[in-house]
C-alpha cells in the first residue's frame, strides 16, 4: 500500500466518518433520549408518555402522534445532569469529527491531484497526505471518546432515576444512535491508523511532505569509476616486456 495513491481504506474511512457525523446530528436533533411513562388507573383517561430530548420535550397520549405538551425552551431548563452534559458533548464531538473529515479530504485531494515531483521552492510548504490522515484519525478517536462516554452514562443515570423516584424512566432510540455513531468514529480512526502504519517506513516525518528530495536533483550525478575500470586502465598503460631468444 503506497502513500502516494488514493486507496479504498481512506475512501471508506471518509464515508464511514461522514455517516457517523450524520448519525450524531440525528441523535442531537431527535427528542428521544429519555421516556417517562405516566400511567393512569382511570379508564376514561389514557396513559401519557413524555419524550425528553436535548432541546425539546414532548408529551403524547398513547396512540397519538401529536404533542399535547410541547416545550421548545426545554434546553434552557434541563434539570437532568446527563442531558445537560450531552448538550455540550455531542456538538463538540460533531465539530471535532467534521474537522477530521476536512483533514481527511485534504489528504485525499493532495494525494490525487498533486504532482509527483514538487516545486523545490514550495517543498517545505506542501501538505503531507499521510500526516493529514494520521491527525484525522486522532481527531476521530477524540470525537468517539467525547460522544461515547456521556451516551453510556445516560443508561446508568436512567437506572439511578428509577431507583430515586419510580421505575417510569427508560432510555430511547437516540442513545443507541449516538453509541452506534461513536462506534463508526472509532472504526474510521482504526482504518486511518492502519493506512498510516503502511506508510510509516517513509524517510520523512509525518508533518513534512512525503518527498525526501526532488527526484530530478540527483538524476544526473556522475558515477565513479569502478575498481575494475581503474585496474584495466593501469594494465593498459603497462608495457609488455619480452625476452629475445
Amino acid at each position: 500500500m503506497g502513500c502516494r495513491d488514493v486507496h479504498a481504506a481512506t475512501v471508506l474511512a471518509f464515508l464511514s466518518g461522514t455517516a457517523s457525523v450524520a448519525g450524531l446530528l440525528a441523535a442531537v436533533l431527535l427528542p428521544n433520549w429519555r421516556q417517562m411513562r405516566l400511567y393512569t388507573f382511570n379508564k376514561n383517561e389514557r396513559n401519557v408518555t413524555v419524550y425528553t430530548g436535548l432541546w425539546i420535550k414532548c408529551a403524547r397520549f398513547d396512540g397519538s402522534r401529536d404533542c399535547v405538551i410541547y416545550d421548545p425552551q426545554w434546553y434552557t431548563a434541563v434539570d437532568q445532569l446527563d442531558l445537560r452534559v450531552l448538550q455540550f458533548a455531542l456538538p463538540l464531538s460533531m465539530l471535532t469529527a467534521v474537522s477530521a473529515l476536512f483533514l481527511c479530504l485534504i489528504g485525499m485531494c493532495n494525494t490525487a491531484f498533486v504532482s509527483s515531483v514538487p516545486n523545490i521552492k514550495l517543498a517545505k510548504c506542501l501538505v503531507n497526505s499521510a500526516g493529514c490522515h494520521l491527525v484525522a484519525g486522532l481527531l476521530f478517536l477524540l470525537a468517539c471518546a467525547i460522544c461515547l462516554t456521556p451516551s453510556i452514562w445516560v443508561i446508568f443515570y436512567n437506572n439511578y432515576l428509577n431507583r430515586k423516584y419510580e421505575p417510569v424512566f427508560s432510555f430511547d432510540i437516540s442513545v443507541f444512535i449516538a453509541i452506534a455513531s461513536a462506534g463508526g468514529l472509532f472504526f474510521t480512526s482504526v482504518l486511518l491508523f492502519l493506512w498510516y502504519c503502511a506508510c510509516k517506513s517513509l524517510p520523512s516525518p509525518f508533518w513534512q511532505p512525503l518527498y525526501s528530495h526532488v527526484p530530478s536533483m540527483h538524476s544526473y550525478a556522475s558515477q565513479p569509476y569502478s575498481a575494475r575500470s581503474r585496474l584495466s586502465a593501469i594494465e593498459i598503460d603497462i608495457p609488455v616486456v619480452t625476452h629475445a631468444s
Side-chain angles (χ1 to χ4, degrees), residues 97-176:
V98 169
S99 302
L101 282 176
F102 183 68
L103 276 177
C104 190
L105 185 61
I106 289 178
M108 288 193 298
C109 291
N110 178 74
T111 303
F113 300 113
V114 173
S115 173
S116 59
V117 180
N119 187 347
I120 189 172
K121 296 181 180 179
L122 301 176
K124 293 184 178 180
C125 301
L126 292 178
V127 177
N128 181 2
S129 60
C132 286
H133 291 313
L134 176 63
V135 177
L138 293 173
L139 290 178
F140 277 125
L141 191 61
L142 177 62
C144 171
I146 296 174
C147 169
L148 185 62
T149 304
S151 298
I152 293 179
W153 185 34
V154 171
I155 301 175
F156 295 98
Y157 197 83
N158 189 77
N159 296 332
Y160 164 76
L161 291 177
N162 285 329
R163 291 193 305 267
K164 184 177 181 180
Y165 299 104
E166 294 182 11
V168 295
F169 297 95
S170 61
F171 49 88
D172 208 348
I173 189 173
S174 292
V175 177
F176 300 104

Side-chain angles (χ1 to χ4, degrees), residues 32-37 49-52 158 168-173:
N32 297 97
W33 278 93
R34 174 169 290 124
Q35 292 183 13
M36 183 174 61
R37 188 166 177 80
T49 303
V50 179
Y51 297 90
T52 304
N158 189 77
V168 295
F169 297 95
S170 61
F171 49 88
D172 208 348
I173 189 173

Side-chain angles (χ1 to χ4, degrees), residues 47 66 83 111 160 192 219 223:
N47 297 330
D66 298 328
L83 299 184
T111 303
Y160 164 76
L192 293 176
S219 299
Q223 300 295 330

Side-chain angles (χ1 to χ4, degrees), residues 23-88:
L24 282 180
L25 180 61
V28 168
L29 297 180
L30 286 175
N32 297 97
W33 278 93
R34 174 169 290 124
Q35 292 183 13
M36 183 174 61
R37 188 166 177 80
L38 305 177
Y39 299 92
T40 179
F41 297 100
N42 188 347
K43 295 183 179 181
N44 296 323
E45 298 288 341
R46 289 185 292 174
N47 297 330
V48 176
T49 303
V50 179
Y51 297 90
T52 304
L54 302 183
W55 317 106
I56 61 174
K57 178 185 285 188
C58 172
R60 297 174 182 170
F61 289 116
D62 285 358
S64 174
R65 292 184 174 270
D66 298 328
C67 298
V68 292
I69 299 177
Y70 181 80
D71 185 7
Q73 302 297 323
W74 164 248
Y75 66 93
T76 62
V78 174
D79 57 355
Q80 300 169 15
L81 183 58
D82 57 339
L83 299 184
R84 178 65 77 182
V85 172
L86 281 166
Q87 284 182 335
F88 294 95

Side-chain angles (χ1 to χ4, degrees), residues 7-21 97-109 133 136 140 184 187-189 191-192:
H7 290 276
T10 55
V11 176
L12 180 60
F14 181 80
L15 295 178
S16 175
T18 303
S20 300
V21 171
V98 169
S99 302
L101 282 176
F102 183 68
L103 276 177
C104 190
L105 185 61
I106 289 178
M108 288 193 298
C109 291
H133 291 313
F140 277 125
F187 174 72
T188 304
S189 66
L191 276 179
L192 293 176

